[in-house]
């Protein structure tokens, strides 16, 4: 067995983990499984693709590679714009679709089915605008560096790992050390009591969308940088995202990140042992196993 | 020049109609006035609408008619979180603290609506008032005993120095000794100047601390009077406050 699966697994796991943080926050605070979350990943990747392409067109120097990386300054600048645009998209979807449904106090299943509809609409709109042909942020080739122990990784891959770790830590600190983080945890535990305490639940809901969609955008950009950009990229990640969110324990940010890495490593191991065609089955097996054996997940508390 | 005096009436409801369903109101036209500094208890049989009344006042149950005024301001349509900022503090019967947060975090959440430079001092004052809570402020609130949880819920409500403190059955699930402690603390809080409204099933304890009592029946005010004499009325006691209390009242 090649030790390379460790690097491959951690890199894909970091992207799954970032996406799973958004899923776990939405699930615990808005109390529904948002199946449109994968589309925020795709839209984040395409927003960055469009903005970086525009910047590269306006100033060729911005597209020139930075140091050992395959991309120029146009991509980091576009990533910031993409986070803002994807957060705006999430707020728009909430205002148009989810908020009216929440205000009617309908069953959770209605919100879940609405998220399926939103996912379909967003994915098809993306395909209509950008076509289904894969796109790339850069066509520059990178040589993987030796990491020791028979493992290799490109500078882009190592950067993605570092960014994912920093973002996960930042979100964890936001939730545990700041006033808005306390409010988010309070609403997650008891929305009615939160109102009595003086928390404006609408502002907490807005924060959840901004945070979840922003992290999804970063996950999308990383996936686009390391693999490719496709309208279905979010859909392909959806099952691993939910597997990681449930494995980590709903509401637990460190849990989502660690579980994302576990799912990524399991996928990499499966590809090497059984073949690439079994990759998609791994998340499903983990999801079923955790629901049967420990429904509260690794870091969650039993209801 | 003298400072403007606060109005003598803190809270009023006028012809209040409230309930979870518009066509099935639980509160059916209640007129209520709570004077500044008084201790009012709301009593009545199960299903009379006691909890629904205070939840409607706190903004947790839809109001279908009438008006609620706090310090002269109409708050009927205000969401719950803005009523707190206007001076209304409510302690629900159950799930009245955040069990996954620490004691300190529960108080910090409530203090978030105060100016930044006053938050720490206010929390420190609450710890002085409730020394049990100050021993281990980082302790998870879910690990507290029933009595400590009630004290944390009351402390949380007092953080904002409310115009009125409304409590829904704080004795529920507590042992008689702890109930005594909780009610003694509520009496002290009221004597410090905090207007208090207490919904209770424990009639004897409630009448022992309150100055005035209301008896609700089927969503309407059936009787009203000084707490000291209402419990002695054998008709009221027999009909609405439970036979056991009636016998106790007669015996004393």
């Amino acid at each position: 067995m090649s030790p390379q699966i460790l690097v491959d697994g951690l890199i894909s796991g970091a992207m799954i983990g970032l996406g799973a943080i958004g899923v776990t926050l939405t699930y615990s605070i808005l109390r529904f499984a948002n199946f449109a979350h994968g589309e925020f990943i795709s839209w984040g990747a395409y927003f960055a693709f469009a903005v970086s392409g525009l910047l590269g067109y306006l100033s060729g120097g911005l597209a020139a590679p930075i140091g050992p990386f395959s991309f120029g300054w146009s991509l980091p600048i576009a990533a910031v714009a993409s986070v803002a645009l994807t957060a705006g998209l999430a707020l728009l979807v909430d205002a148009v679709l989810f908020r009216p449904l929440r205000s009617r106090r309908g069953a959770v299943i209605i919100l879940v089915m609405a998220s399926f509809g939103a996912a379909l609409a967003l994915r098809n709109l993306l395909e209509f605008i950008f076509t289904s042909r894969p796109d790339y942020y850069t066509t520059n080739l990178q040589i993987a560096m030796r990491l020791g122990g028979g493992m290799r990784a490109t500078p882009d891959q190592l950067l993605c790992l570092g960014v994912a770790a920093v973002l996960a830590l930042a979100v964890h600190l936001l939730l545990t050390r700041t006033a808005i983080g306390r409010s988010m945890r309070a609403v997650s535990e008891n929305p009615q009591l939160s109102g009595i305490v003086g928390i404006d639940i609408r502002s907490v809901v807005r924060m959840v969308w901004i945070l979840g969609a922003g992290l999804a955008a970063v996950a999308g950009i990383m996936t686009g940088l390391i693999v490719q950009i496709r309208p279905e990229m979010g859909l392909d990640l959806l099952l691993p995202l939910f597997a990681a969110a449930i494995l980590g324990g709903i509401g637990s940010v460190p849990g989502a990140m660690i579980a994302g890495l576990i799912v990524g490593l399991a996928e990499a191991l499966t590809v090497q042992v059984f073949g690439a065609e079994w990759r998609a089955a791994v998340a499903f097996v983990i999801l079923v196993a955790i629901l049967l054996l420990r429904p509260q997940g690794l870091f969650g508390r039993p209801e | 020049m003298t400072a403007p005096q606060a109005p003598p009436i803190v809270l009023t409801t006028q012809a209040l109609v409230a309930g979870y369903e518009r066509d099935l109101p639980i509160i059916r036209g209640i007129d209520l006035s709570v004077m500044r500094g008084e201790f009012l208890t709301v009593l009545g049989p199960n299903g009379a609408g006691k909890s629904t009344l205070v939840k409607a006042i706190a903004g947790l149950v839809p109001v279908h008619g009438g008006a609620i005024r706090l310090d002269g301001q109409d708050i009927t349509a205000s969401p719950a979180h803005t009523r707190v900022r206007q001076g209304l503090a409510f302690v629900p019967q159950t799930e009245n603290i955040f069990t996954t947060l620490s004691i300190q975090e529960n108080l910090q959440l409530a203090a978030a609506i105060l100016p930044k430079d006053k938050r720490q001092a206010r929390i420190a004052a609450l710890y002085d008032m409730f020394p049990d809570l100050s021993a281990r402020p980082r302790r998870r609130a879910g690990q507290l005993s029933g009595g400590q949880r009630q004290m944390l819920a009351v402390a949380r409500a007092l953080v904002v120095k409310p115009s009125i403190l409304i409590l829904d059955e704080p004795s529920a699930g507590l042992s008689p000794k702890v109930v005594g402690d909780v009610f003694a603390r509520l009496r002290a809080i009221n004597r410090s100047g905090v207007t208090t409204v207490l919904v209770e099933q424990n009639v004897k304890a409630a009448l022992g601390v309150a100055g005035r009592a209301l008896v609700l029946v089927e969503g309407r005010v059936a009787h009203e009077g000084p707490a000291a004499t209402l419990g002695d009325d054998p008709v009221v006691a027999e009909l609405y406050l439970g036979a056991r209390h009636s016998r106790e009242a007669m015996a004393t």
Side-chain angles (χ1 to χ4, degrees):
Chain A
M1 195 182 302
S2 165
Q4 185 60 28
I5 60 165
L6 192 64
V7 175
D8 296 344
L10 287 177
I11 289 164
S12 71
M15 292 178 270
I16 293 168
L18 279 187
I21 291 173
V23 169
T24 206
L25 288 177
T26 315
Y27 204 128
S28 67
I29 294 175
L30 299 173
R31 292 165 198 272
F32 77 100
N34 178 22
F35 287 100
H37 195 78
E39 306 315 316
F40 296 144
I41 290 177
S42 309
W43 275 81
Y46 274 101
F47 276 138
F49 177 69
V51 175
S52 68
L54 180 68
L55 290 172
Y57 175 76
L58 294 173
S59 168
L62 285 174
I66 312 165
F69 303 113
S70 68
F71 53 86
W73 282 108
S74 58
L75 188 59
I77 297 169
V80 174
S82 166
V83 165
L85 289 167
T86 311
L89 176 69
L91 291 173
L92 180 70
V93 172
D94 184 53
V96 171
L97 185 64
F98 297 128
R99 195 195 306 158
L101 291 174
R102 279 199 307 274
S103 66
R104 288 182 206 168
R105 297 174 193 274
V108 171
I109 189 69
I110 294 172
L111 283 165
V112 174
M113 296 316 290
S115 77
F116 267 117
L120 274 173
L122 289 169
R123 195 181 319 132
N124 285 305
L125 185 59
L126 210 49
E127 199 165 331
F128 176 74
I129 299 169
F130 292 97
T131 78
S132 58
R133 190 194 64 214
D135 282 306
Y136 299 88
Y137 291 119
T138 171
T139 51
N140 294 330
L141 284 176
Q142 275 199 311
I143 306 298
M145 302 183 300
R146 289 177 195 277
L147 301 176
M151 292 182 287
R152 289 169 175 267
T154 66
D156 285 0
Q157 289 175 323
L158 292 176
L159 177 72
C160 287
L161 263 181
V163 169
V166 168
L167 285 176
L169 181 65
V171 175
H172 177 65
L173 292 176
L174 176 92
L175 285 177
T176 53
R177 306 283 168 87
T178 68
I180 183 69
R182 272 194 297 275
S183 296
M184 289 168 77
R185 286 156 59 208
V187 175
S188 166
E189 183 184 329
N190 189 335
Q192 192 175 67
L193 182 61
S194 301
I196 296 169
V197 171
I199 297 169
D200 182 357
I201 294 171
R202 289 168 307 178
S203 67
V204 170
V205 169
R206 276 196 294 273
M207 190 65 191
V208 170
W209 285 120
I210 290 168
L211 205 55
L215 292 172
V218 175
I221 295 165
M222 288 180 180
T223 309
L225 183 64
I226 291 171
V227 189
Q228 58 184 197
I229 313 166
R230 291 181 303 114
E232 296 83 15
M233 61 195 289
L235 177 67
D236 294 346
L237 276 171
L238 198 60
L239 192 56
L241 294 189
F242 274 90
I246 293 169
L247 177 63
I250 289 299
S252 168
V253 168
M257 199 64 210
I258 291 167
L261 296 176
I262 292 171
V263 172
L265 286 168
E267 283 186 348
L269 183 68
T270 304
V271 167
Q272 190 161 96
V273 175
F274 299 106
E277 67 274 23
W278 291 99
R279 182 186 186 122
V282 176
F284 182 71
V285 170
I286 291 174
L287 188 62
V288 171
I290 197 73
L291 286 174
L292 287 173
L293 299 174
R294 194 179 159 86
Q296 73 270 30
L298 297 176
F299 298 91
R301 291 189 184 81
E303 294 271 326
Chain B
M1 222 168 109
T2 55
Q5 279 199 323
I9 297 176
V10 180
L11 178 79
T12 60
T13 68
Q14 291 168 334
L16 188 68
V17 178
Y20 296 94
E21 304 289 336
R22 179 174 284 278
D23 51 358
L24 209 65
I26 299 168
I27 300 302
R28 303 171 187 184
I30 288 188
D31 292 309
L32 169 74
S33 291
V34 184
M35 307 303 288
R36 193 167 303 282
E38 85 165 322
F39 197 138
L40 172 73
T41 183
V42 181
L43 309 170
N46 282 332
K50 305 182 296 293
S51 291
T52 308
L53 171 65
V54 287
K55 282 181 182 172
I57 292 170
L60 302 179
V61 168
V63 171
H64 306 300
I68 306 168
R69 287 182 172 274
L70 180 67
D71 281 327
Q73 281 188 304
D74 190 336
I75 60 164
T76 317
S78 305
H81 74 272
T82 61
R83 295 184 194 203
V84 185
R85 291 161 199 265
Q86 289 167 299
L88 190 151
F90 177 57
V91 179
Q93 180 183 350
T94 56
E95 297 183 1
N96 50 23
I97 55 168
F98 296 102
T99 54
T100 57
L101 273 57
S102 68
I103 293 170
Q104 174 79 1
E105 286 176 324
N106 269 273
L107 298 177
Q108 283 174 326
L109 268 179
I113 65 174
L114 298 174
K116 263 188 180 174
D117 57 331
K118 296 193 173 155
R119 292 175 192 169
Q120 278 312 313
R122 184 60 188 151
I123 291 173
L126 263 303
Y127 279 140
D128 288 342
M129 199 185 297
F130 298 92
D132 275 6
L133 302 178
S134 65
R136 287 173 64 191
R138 294 191 184 281
R139 191 175 181 194
R140 196 180 288 269
Q143 297 172 334
L144 298 175
S145 67
Q148 288 172 323
R149 285 181 184 216
Q150 286 297 359
M151 285 300 102
L152 176 58
V154 173
R156 189 264 304 154
L158 291 175
V159 166
V160 294
K161 291 189 178 175
S163 301
I164 186 165
L165 172 66
I166 303 176
L167 305 108
D168 188 4
E169 291 200 43
S171 70
L174 300 182
S175 68
K177 184 193 173 304
V178 178
V179 170
D181 293 345
V182 170
F183 276 55
R185 192 63 63 87
L186 292 180
R187 193 194 330 235
I189 289 167
N190 174 252
R191 283 180 178 167
S192 73
V194 180
T195 308
T196 309
V197 175
L198 170 69
V199 166
E200 253 305 330
Q201 286 281 10
N202 189 333
V203 176
K204 192 177 175 186
L207 291 176
V209 292
R212 188 162 66 98
L214 287 183
V215 181
L216 293 194
V217 178
E218 294 179 355
R220 294 188 177 90
V221 177
H223 292 275
E224 184 178 356
T229 57
L230 195 76
D232 294 337
D233 183 331
V235 177
V236 171
E238 187 67 45
L239 283 176
Y240 306 124
L241 306 182
R244 202 185 75 184
H245 175 79
S246 168
R247 284 192 298 273
E248 285 169 0
M250 297 285 272
T252 51

